[in-house]
Each structure stands twice: as C-alpha cells, then as structure tokens.
Amino acid sequence: MFKAIVLDKAEDQQTVAFKELDEAQLPEGDVTVRVAYSTMNYKDALALTGSAPIAKSYPMVPGIDFAGVVESSDNPDFKPGDQVVLNGWGVGEKHWGGLAEKVRVPGDWLIPLQTPFTERQAMGLGTAGYTAMLCVLALEKQGVKPEDGPILVTGAAGGVGSVAVAVLAKLGYDVAAMTGRPEEADFLKMLGASSIVDRAEYSEKGRPLAKEQWAGAIDVAGGQVLANVCAAMKYRGVVAACGLAAGMGFPATVAPFILRGVTLVGVDSVMAPKAERLEAWKRLAQDLDINKLENLITDVPFEQVIDQAPLMMKGQIRGRIVVPVAGE
C-alpha cells in the first residue's frame, strides 16, 4: 500500500483526497519508482482546484514532476537503485503522476538525476525550471546574445520566471523582471534582475508597435501581456512563449513580426524529445547558481499540498514548491 493524492469525479463534481492505494492499482509501465520528492506546478494547482480540465480520466493521481529511486525495472536503461527524474509526458493528466509515494511509468519518460543536484533540488527546479532552461536555449538558438540588449521575463516571481531570471543573470544578460507584486522586487534583484517592470504596464491593450526595448523575452503569461511584449521588441528580437497564466488569447497584430522581424518561439516542455530534456538539465547543472536555488524553494508537507493549490492560483506563491513525499 502507498499514499497518494487522488482526483475523482462524482455527479460532475471533481473531488480531491488523500487515499491509500494498492500497488496493483498502478498503471502500466516498465519502471516502478519510489518517489522521494514531488512538487506543485501551476498545472498541478489547476488540477487540484478543478479550475481547468487537466485530468483527462478518473481516478487520477496529479503531479507532473517527481524525483525518486527505481524500485523495479524491465527497462534496460534503468536498474533498481537508480535516481531518476520525470517531467511532463502527460503524467498527472493522462497517466498517474508524482504526488504519490509510488509511480509506474514507461522508462523512456525518465532521465537520470543530473549531478550535482539532489532529488530535492531537482524538484526545486521541476518542470518550471526545466521549462525556463528550454526558453533560454530557444533564445540562444535564435542568436540572442547578452550584448544585444535587455531580456524581459514575465511572471518573474513565479516558478518559471524566477529560474529564468537567475539563469539569464548568471549568463551575463541584463534582465528586466516583470511582476504584479512590487513587494518581490528585492527577491528578484537577489536573483539577478537589474530592473523591475510593473505588470500593469503590459496588461491593457497597447499599440501595435511600441517603443523598442527588449532584445529577447521569456513569457509565461500569454494573452494581452504577450501581445504587448511582442510590440515592444527590438528589431529582430526573440520571444520564447511557454505559458498562458494571463489567457490563451493573443490580441496582437502582425506588425512586430513583419516590420521588425520579431520571432515568436513556442516552447513546449510536456512532449519535448529526450535529447532536449537532457540538454536542458545539463545546462541547469552548469548555469544555475545552486545557492540561489535554495532561495527559490519552499517546502510544503505532502499533507498540505491540497491547501496550497488555491494560493498558487491567486498568484500568492513565490518561487517553487517542493513536496517531500518520502524524503531522502
């Protein structure tokens, strides 16, 4: 038997509760993992609160991330005792996820825990940190260099944004951190932001083309914010878009793309190929100050995760939530 958070549905209403499950109930897969740490991402908060139809079937164990130790394996790439990490692949949506003491998944979804990270630190990054690195790599692949000008990071106090600020600053970029929480300014400057941008400046409908300010941007918001970010890009600037916290719409014009040659790059972390995942994690190990990582982490006991989800939905969570499931 093992403990898990379980989403279920009765009379069209989603329920969420801690339950004891039998290992025989685990879904198909060739690797069984004893989870040490999980985390709560924005998508997990959506699932736990029922704010969006994240769970595609019921019952569902949420949690799009986990780190732990292989208990048993029929996959040649993994053996009992291996430390592994999983991000995405529909786990917590279509396949039982990481907010449980045990998981069973296809081994092709797993990657080895990267040195020097501990399991807890890996979840201090989780999908949010891994996505942030994918966005940084996207800017690099489009040729954006520190000398080209400042980089704007939206939702900078959140999971993706805070890691993006820290990584970009260490790489030598001039980072402008956008937030709707002015009280987080000192935190963001500690991470390496050189300036703070008020989200309100980008939340209302703006001009098709605004003053050129940014050589690059990482956007977690979508909606009107993304439209205004694109309008304020420098000539041949690049925007890496990975989120929709401010909405799925894109009320923009083609002017930035045609008249300034702006590039909008979509960044997906859920189904990214394994090679890209490994590259992102190796670069995190290289380009993130682990001492700063500790400042991003808030540990939340497994039993309190459900209560924390509404706070994340209200934008009241700073950095990253780490959930000790079994501990190290």
Side-chain angles (χ1 to χ4, degrees), residues 214-232:
W214 317 113
I218 293 176
D219 177 65
V220 304
Q224 189 64 62
V225 171
L226 176 58
N228 289 334
V229 168
C230 289

Side-chain angles (χ1 to χ4, degrees), residues 25 28 39 45 52 80 87 102 109 134 137 141 155 172 176 196 205 263 272-273 280 291 299 325 328:
Q25 296 175 265
E28 291 184 2
T39 179
N87 310 112
K102 284 192 180 185
W109 294 356
L134 288 176
L137 291 170
K141 288 171 183 176
I196 307 298
K205 184 176 180 180
T263 298
N291 294 321
D299 292 282
V325 177
E328 288 184 292

Side-chain angles (χ1 to χ4, degrees), residues 128-319:
Y130 146 67
T131 302
M133 194 70 236
L134 288 176
C135 290
V136 172
L137 291 170
L139 295 183
E140 291 182 344
K141 288 171 183 176
Q142 292 294 324
V144 179
K145 301 179 291 297
E147 57 266 30
D148 293 335
I151 308 296
L152 178 67
V153 177
T154 70
V160 174
S162 56
V163 176
V165 169
V167 169
L168 287 166
K170 187 177 179 186
L171 290 170
Y173 289 90
D174 176 8
V175 185
M178 181 191 294
T179 182
R181 293 182 273 168
E183 67 274 13
E184 299 291 5
D186 289 343
F187 167 69
L188 293 168
K189 288 181 178 178
M190 177 276 299
L191 292 179
S194 58
S195 61
I196 307 298
V197 177
D198 186 349
R199 184 178 64 204
E201 297 176 20
Y202 284 74
S203 298
E204 302 298 327
K205 184 176 180 180
R207 296 178 178 180
L209 285 175
K211 178 184 176 182
E212 295 184 43
Q213 295 187 74
W214 317 113
I218 293 176
D219 177 65
V220 304
Q224 189 64 62
V225 171
L226 176 58
N228 289 334
V229 168
C230 289
M233 298 305 294
K234 289 187 171 187
Y235 184 71
R236 293 206 168 177
V238 180
V239 181
C242 66
L244 41 74
M248 291 183 66
F250 185 46
T253 75
V254 297
F257 311 110
I258 294 174
L259 299 180
R260 290 186 184 162
V262 170
T263 298
L264 177 59
V265 182
V267 175
D268 165 61
S269 61
V270 176
M271 303 302 292
K274 193 167 186 175
E276 292 182 16
R277 294 166 181 269
L278 283 168
E279 181 184 10
W281 276 102
K282 287 175 180 176
R283 283 291 302 275
L284 283 167
Q286 173 184 316
D287 295 323
L288 179 69
D289 184 339
I290 291 182
N291 294 321
K292 286 185 177 178
L293 175 59
E294 191 60 39
N295 293 311
L296 301 178
I297 295 174
T298 300
D299 292 282
V300 172
F302 195 18
E303 296 76 14
Q304 295 178 20
V305 171
I306 295 170
D307 295 333
Q308 290 290 311
L311 300 179
M312 181 169 280
M313 293 302 302
K314 294 175 183 176
Q316 295 175 2
I317 299 293
R318 169 203 278 184

